[in-house]
Amino acid sequence: MNFHILTLFPEMVMQGLNTSIIGKAVQRGCISIEAVNIRDYTLDKHGKVDDYTYGGGAGMLMQAQPVYDAYRSVADRIGQERARRVIYVTPQGKTFHQEMAQEMAQESDLIFLCGHYEGIDERVLTEIVTDEVSIGDYVLTGGELPAMVMIDAIARLVPGVLHNGESAQTESFENGLLEYPQYSRPEIWHEKKVPEILLSGDHAKVDAWRREQSLLRTKERRPDLYEKYLQTCSVEK
Ligand code: ADE
């Protein structure tokens, strides 16, 4: 899977994504990540990429030309035979969730477009963007952090990125429920004891306990997810 990020701050995304599990997956060749500096593609001799908005209003807008040319440089390299999915990260998009991450993890290439200032000229968006996605109902100063969040969530679903294949499946959301509580050594810490059943060595009992904890936790913390889970269970019956 190849991630391409169109951004005005390439060092920000590359520093963030070149560390820890994602950075190691890049080193092993499971995924590739490149940041393309939109500013490198402006035809303006002063390196300008933004201008005032027609009709007035506060703030500047990213212009169509440098965004389009940066996109073309990536699209031409990817070629026609590979799908060119372009994700514009914007608070106006559909809210990102785990199923979206799973679906996107099937692609061979994903191009992320990060906006700044007041946004991007609508004409280039209508020409190149296939998906508009938000990471939540709050506004950030730019699209880099949302793109990094999405890339992290998608990349960890790519085969080989997580060493322990099981952990992607048992974690919160993968089965529509939140994850059960977990404990490590020591057995007693600050007078708090690890639940007895986890020390029993009885795998069937441990599994049943974890499942029950998952259900309880989801019911308490995310009643919306719990309701949805109950509905899917009754549909499956
Ligand atoms: N850009 C600014 N805020 C954003 C958000 N919440 N999601 C995606 N992109 C954004």
Side-chain angles (χ1 to χ4, degrees), residues 88-92 115 133-144 146-147:
Y88 176 41
V89 282
T90 164
Q92 297 178 35
V133 184
S134 163
I135 59 160
D137 289 343
Y138 42 82
V139 181
L140 302 167
T141 54
E144 283 73 18

Side-chain angles (χ1 to χ4, degrees), residues 56-72:
M60 308 286 269
L61 207 61
M62 279 169 73
Q63 292 167 284
Q65 177 275 316
V67 171
Y68 184 72
D69 287 0
Y71 157 75
R72 275 254 61 94

Side-chain angles (χ1 to χ4, degrees), residues 7-9 60-62 114-120 141-144:
T7 169
L8 288 173
F9 300 95
M60 308 286 269
L61 207 61
M62 279 169 73
C114 305
H116 258 270
Y117 314 115
E118 286 305 301
I120 302 181
T141 54
E144 283 73 18

Side-chain angles (χ1 to χ4, degrees), residues 58 64 93 100 104 123 126 153 156 160 163 225 230:
M100 223 189 257
M104 288 179 175
R123 292 167 296 182
T126 52
R156 64 187 287 289
H163 277 305
L225 284 184
L230 291 185

Side-chain angles (χ1 to χ4, degrees), residues 166-183:
E166 199 200 357
S167 58
Q169 271 158 32
T170 55
E171 269 158 15
S172 295
F173 300 115
E174 280 298 322
N175 56 2
L177 294 172
L178 300 183
E179 203 180 14
Y180 45 79
Q182 304 205 73
Y183 304 85

